[in-house]
Amino acid sequence: MNLCDPRTIKDIMTAFGLSFRKEFGQNFLTDIGTVEAIAESCAGDNTKTVLEIGAGFGSLTHELALRYENVIALEIDQGLIPLLGYTLSSDKNARVIEADVTKTDLGELLADSFKAGGVAVCANLPYYITTPILLQLLDSRLPFDSITVMVQSEVADRLCAAPGKPEYGSVTAYTGYFGECRRLLDVPAGRFLPPPKVDSAVVRIDLYKEKPVVPKDEKTLFRVIRAAFGQRRKTLPNALSAGFGELSKQAVTEAVTEAGIAANVRGETLSVDDFCRISDRLTEKLSAAEAQK
Ligand code: SAM
C-alpha cells in the first residue's frame, strides 16, 4: 500500500467514512521523498523511540517504524484510529494512541522509553496549535535527543532567525535557550492533501545537554524575553519597565547598562546570552527590592 498516494488516501478515507478535518489541521503528506527525508533526519545515533504527534494517515509513522525500534504516535481524531490500524497493520513496533498531546503527560507516557534509550520527537504539526505544542515540548524538560517538526515556513523563519533579523522574536529567543534550531528542508504546499494555504518547512531543534548560558533565575529570564518583545517599538529599558512594574525605571535601566548593553537598543538585537546577563542583574535588583520591603 502506498501511503503517500493521493488516490489511495482518498479511497481509504472514504472506505472508513472519513473526511479531512480542518479543525485538527489535517493536511497529509503525499510526497514519499519528503516523508523519508523527515524520518531519516529526525533522530540521533542513540535514538530508540520516536514520539510522533499527529499520525494522520500514517505515512510518516510507517517510515519511522521502518527505521527505529519503537514509534509512539498520538492522534487526536478518534475516527482515524481504526484507519491507522489498517494502514499500519504491518508496523508491529508502532503504537498509536488516541490522545490530545496538549492534555498528555509526556513524562509519564515516555518514562519507560527514556529508560530504554534515546527518545526523539518527529511531527508534521497541526498548524492551528504549532507554538503551544513546541512550548509544551520545551517546557516538559524531557531529555529528547532532538525535536523535528514541520511548521509553516514563516514559523520556521522565526524559529531559526538570528538576532537583529525582523523574524527574531520571543519564541526564537525562548527556543534558543533550550537548544539549537536548524532548518532542514522546505516543503511546498502542493505536497499535502488537501494543500494548505502556505508553504511549510522542517526544522530540527537539538536540545542542549548542557545549556551554554544558565541564568540565576529562569523565571526572570523568561519574563525578560516576554517583556523585551512585548513592546517592540520601545527601547529595551522602556519595554522591560512595562514587564517589571515592581522596579523603578532607573533600576531597570541600570540592569541593562550593568549587563554591558547600551540603553538605546531594542530587544530584537539581543542574543540569549545578552538576555541572561540582563536577567541576572534584574534578579539581583528584585531581591534587593524584596529585602527592603
Ligand atoms: N503525520 C501525518 C502526515 O504527516 O501526513 C498527519 C499530519 S497533519 C498536519 C496533523 C495531524 O495531527 C492530524 O492527523 C490531526 O488530526 C492531528 N492532531 C491535531 N491536533 C492534535 C492534538 N492536539 N494532539 C494529537 N494530534 C493532533
Side-chain angles (χ1 to χ4, degrees):
M1 192 179 350
N2 178 354
L3 299 184
C4 285
D5 173 46
R7 189 72 264 158
T8 306
I9 297 176
K10 280 184 198 155
D11 287 350
I12 296 180
M13 291 281 286
T14 307
F16 278 82
L18 301 172
S19 48
F20 300 97
R21 295 184 64 175
K22 214 173 164 184
E23 73 273 28
F24 287 147
Q26 290 181 353
N27 304 98
F28 298 158
L29 272 163
T30 55
D31 182 65
I32 184 65
T34 304
V35 178
E36 285 174 342
I38 299 170
E40 203 59 50
S41 53
C42 75
D45 297 341
N46 179 39
T47 303
K48 289 221 163 32
T49 302
V50 177
L51 170 72
E52 188 194 5
I53 299 164
F57 192 72
S59 57
L60 180 56
T61 325
H62 174 64
E63 291 303 320
L64 291 169
L66 292 179
R67 288 167 177 77
Y68 305 101
E69 266 185 50
N70 294 301
V71 178
I72 298 178
L74 305 183
E75 176 51 59
I76 195 173
D77 184 355
Q78 191 181 31
L80 283 171
I81 305 299
L83 179 149
L84 285 161
Y86 175 69
T87 57
L88 300 175
S89 55
S90 62
D91 298 311
K92 302 296 175 215
N93 56 337
R95 180 175 149 216
V96 175
I97 301 172
E98 183 197 333
D100 176 344
V101 65
T102 63
K103 298 190 177 131
T104 302
D105 181 338
L106 296 177
E108 198 180 304
L109 175 72
L110 299 169
D112 288 342
S113 307
F114 277 110
K115 277 185 207 139
V119 181
V121 178
C122 185
N124 172 11
L125 286 180
Y127 292 159
Y128 76 102
I129 199 176
T130 300
T131 306
I133 294 178
L134 266 180
L135 296 183
Q136 179 190 358
L137 292 169
L138 297 174
D139 289 342
S140 74
R141 314 281 166 150
L142 291 169
F144 295 117
D145 291 341
S146 59
I147 298 172
T148 302
V149 283
M150 170 105 71
V151 295
Q152 288 186 9
S153 185
E154 167 213 320
V155 175
D157 292 343
R158 271 191 264 141
L159 284 171
C160 303
K165 298 282 176 204
E167 296 83 8
Y168 187 77
S170 57
V171 174
T172 327
Y174 193 76
T175 307
Y177 170 66
F178 288 97
E180 212 172 332
C181 200
R182 274 182 300 145
R183 189 183 188 110
L184 296 185
L185 69 147
D186 292 319
V187 185
R191 292 190 191 163
F192 297 85
L193 183 73
K197 289 202 176 68
V198 293
D199 292 336
S200 300
V202 178
V203 298
R204 173 170 160 153
I205 303 164
D206 284 296
L207 298 177
Y208 294 124
K209 301 251 178 293
E210 280 183 40
K211 294 188 180 66
V213 283
V214 180
K216 288 185 175 170
D217 178 48
E218 267 191 352
K219 283 200 181 108
T220 306
L221 172 67
F222 299 154
R223 278 180 75 187
V224 168
I225 292 175
R226 263 198 312 276
F229 292 99
Q231 318 234 337
R232 272 181 175 257
R233 284 168 190 219
K234 293 192 172 175
T235 60
L236 190 63
N238 283 335
L240 290 180
S241 287
F244 287 84
E246 66 271 57
L247 293 175
S248 68
K249 168 88 190 294
Q250 191 194 341
V252 172
T253 309
E254 275 169 20
V256 172
T257 52
E258 284 166 16
I261 289 157
N264 60 351
V265 302
R266 291 179 202 280
E268 57 259 42
T269 61
L270 301 180
S271 65
V272 176
D273 190 18
D274 295 329
F275 285 124
C276 260
R277 289 202 315 281
I278 296 170
S279 157
D280 285 352
R281 299 291 82 75
L282 283 170
T283 301
E284 289 161 8
K285 291 184 191 301
L286 286 168
S287 312
E290 193 58 36
Q292 274 181 3
K293 270 189 189 166

